[in-house]
């Protein structure tokens, strides 16, 4: 239930940011502002979207995947949710030094998707099959987007909109790290019980 409240708060804040340019400008990932001390933008930048279509696609994916995460009761959801925007934004600061602005939940949605897929490959069918499909095809989709330098989804805006695959890759890497740490902890606990 707590995760659903969290998902609702993220959704509400994203909707409010889309309705108020002043609010969104105070939240958006802005490289210069971050280096001037406005550190909150590392987290809040993901709540800002640059068109209605951008907002709709991202919120839909985020809510569906967040519901799956809540329903499956995967471990450490809040640490995972907090780590995603932090690590994605840090990766953008390091690997995209010429990018001044960023917004959107897509990197976070990719992270949740990949984490759920990795966790699900040990579960029963048909969920296992769906997860194996996602584990295999998500990297291919990202690779295709990098190759064509575009998203297959329309931006719905006349403004210049550049998909940021670095955020998608970063989200998936966070998922892999959490999955590996979780498995390592689980195997260590199992070994400790066996040694007793």
């Amino acid at each position: 239930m707590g995760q659903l409240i969290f998902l609702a708060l993220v959704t509400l804040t994203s909707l409010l940011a889309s309705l108020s340019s002043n609010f969104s400008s105070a939240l958006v990932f802005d490289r210069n502002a971050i280096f001037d001390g406005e550190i909150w933008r590392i987290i809040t930048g993901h709540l800002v979207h640059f068109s209605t279509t951008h907002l709709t696609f991202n919120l839909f994916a985020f809510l569906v995947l967040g519901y799956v995460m809540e329903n499956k009761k995967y471990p450490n959801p809040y640490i995972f949710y907090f780590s995603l925007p932090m690590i994605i934004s840090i990766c953008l600061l390091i690997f995209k030094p010429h990018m001044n602005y960023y917004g959107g939940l897509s990197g976070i949605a990719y992270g949740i998707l990949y984490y759920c897929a990795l966790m699900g490959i040990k579960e029963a069918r048909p969920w296992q099959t769906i997860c194996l499909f996602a584990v295999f095809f998500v990297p291919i989709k990202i690779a295709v987007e990098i190759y064509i330098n575009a998203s297959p989804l329309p931006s719905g805006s006349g403004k210049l909109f550049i998909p940021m695959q670095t955020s998608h890759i970063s989200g998936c890497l966070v998922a892999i790290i959490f999955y590996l740490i979780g498995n390592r902890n689980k195997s260590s606990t199992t070994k400790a019980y066996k040694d007793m």
Side-chain angles (χ1 to χ4, degrees):
M1 186 59 146
Q3 280 188 67
L4 295 179
I5 293 168
F6 170 76
L7 296 174
L9 286 172
V10 170
T11 301
L12 181 62
T13 308
S14 295
L15 290 170
L16 289 173
S18 72
L19 296 173
S20 168
S21 58
N22 289 336
F23 189 44
S24 65
S25 66
L27 300 181
V28 72
F29 177 105
D30 179 332
R31 173 179 292 274
N32 293 330
I34 290 169
F35 284 119
D36 283 342
E38 297 181 12
I39 303 298
W40 66 84
R41 293 174 184 272
I42 286 174
I43 300 284
T44 62
H46 298 271
L47 303 173
V48 176
H49 295 81
F50 301 118
S51 72
T52 304
T53 308
H54 186 212
L55 173 72
T56 304
F57 281 126
N58 279 350
L59 272 184
F60 177 76
F62 175 75
L63 288 170
V64 168
L65 294 164
Y67 176 77
V68 170
M69 185 108 162
E70 159 77 14
N71 193 44
K72 291 291 185 179
K73 306 288 186 226
Y74 292 141
N76 304 316
Y78 297 109
I79 298 170
F80 181 63
Y81 285 139
F82 183 72
S83 298
L84 276 168
M86 291 280 293
I87 295 172
I88 291 169
S89 291
I90 290 167
C91 288
L92 291 172
L93 287 169
I94 294 169
F95 298 112
K96 291 291 179 180
H98 302 297
M99 185 194 69
N100 293 321
Y101 301 101
Y102 173 80
L105 287 163
S106 62
I108 292 171
Y110 268 90
I112 299 169
L113 168 62
Y114 215 63
Y115 183 65
C116 288
L118 289 167
M119 295 296 286
I121 57 178
K122 294 181 178 179
E123 296 184 31
R125 294 180 182 169
W127 182 243
Q128 181 190 54
T129 305
I130 293 166
C131 292
L132 284 168
F133 180 85
V135 166
F136 182 73
F137 280 104
V138 165
I140 292 173
K141 179 182 182 293
I142 293 172
V144 168
E145 288 176 346
I146 291 169
Y147 181 74
I148 65 173
N149 195 29
S151 171
L153 302 175
S155 69
S157 171
K159 298 175 186 174
L160 181 62
F161 178 82
I162 302 168
M164 191 52 56
Q165 287 84 17
T166 303
S167 71
H168 303 167
I169 294 167
S170 303
C172 290
L173 289 176
V174 173
I176 292 167
I177 290 165
F178 267 73
Y179 174 74
L180 293 174
I181 290 170
N183 276 350
R184 184 177 175 195
N185 290 343
K186 190 183 258 187
S187 63
S188 298
T189 305
T190 306
K191 185 177 183 301
Y193 280 122
K194 285 180 180 175
D195 289 345
M196 295 170 82

